[in-house]
Amino acid sequence: MPSVPKQPDPTRVRVLDLLRLAAVGAVILYHYGFWGTASHGVQKVALPYLAPVAQYGFLGVPVFFAISGFVIAYSAEGRTPIGFAIARFSRIYPTFVICMTLTFLTTLLLGQVYFHVTWSQWLANLVIAAPMLGQPYMDDAYWSLVIEVVFYVWVALFLAWGIFPRKIDTIILAWIAITFVNELTLDVPLFEKLFMADDSGFFAVGLLIYEHYRGRRDTRLYSLLTLAMGTATFQAVHKLERLGVHTHGSFDPRVVTAICIVSLGIVFAATRIKSVPLPDGVVRAVGGITYPLYLLHLQLGYVILLLMTPTPDAVSTALVVAGMVALAWFVWRFLEGPAHYLVRNRLTMLASRHGWPSRIRDARIDPGHIAAPVEAGQIANH
């Protein structure tokens, strides 16, 4: 009897997987073509002749934030605060520990000529926000994970208070107001971190795009979406001065504005596209490798690159990036899934024993049979 081909998962927004790869590709271009790696005073740029284009690749990260706003709204649908926290923790933390440890061990064994790491640094990085414990990030790209986690905490709190997504308009208006008050007047670092004042507009765009995806069509939604896109563009331009000082680069705010508007428009359009002419397995793999690739490409990639040659060129860089893609695929294919399901199932059973259901519809979860929930990883494996 011939096997029935596996049908594409109807819960996936497949184009978002491709957009996530494009976003991480922009970040890789930024790091290898403009920023290099600046750990402990080492500054090596593999492809400096790409700098005029590569310098705008930093916008790949806020595009991730916009996609994250959509994904997290999807993930929170029908979940209790405990269920949401379990879903997010099990999705990002095991992969983070795997990739951070791979980076640490490789740097410890092979990269000490250029990079110095310690076991104390590894231990501090287990909490993700290593600078809070007086240690540097194992990889400078980890700063964005801290922002993601803060966003998750706010969503979990809103779920606990019963106002998400019911009061999403009020939440976004208050969030944008706090953003502008801080950015234009107070400029308090604690507020900036607590309310993600540098990136809130991008998350808000993602949340509102999900409202549209769910079928909402009203003037207030479109007005808020326009306001959020304007806020996101303002934030991207506003941080150019700080970025210029840090990187000694010169950025054109008009280019940044255009990239923001076009990128966010593409994210919106992606949620309206029902299918792509690619096999579902390929699209799933593309989405699956983006998170480990983001975690691995910078520090680990540069350790390998500088081992190959102290003066990186296009060929060596292409080989290293290809190697990072292969390693990210290996992590996704063989390590991430088992670790994710183990952590998720253990935490779900623990919550169940304490009478804390993960889904709103569940009065009780049978710890002997935990069905895999439809979660955001199915639309964009974050």
Side-chain angles (χ1 to χ4, degrees), residues 17 61 92 120 132 159 165 264 292 319 335 339 364 367:
D17 288 325
V61 174
I92 71 164
S120 296
M132 291 179 58
L159 286 171
L264 294 175
L319 289 172
L335 303 179
R364 181 176 63 185

Side-chain angles (χ1 to χ4, degrees), residues 106 122 147 193 231 278 292 370:
T106 304
W122 177 81
I147 296 176
K193 293 178 173 59
T231 302
L278 291 171
I370 300 172

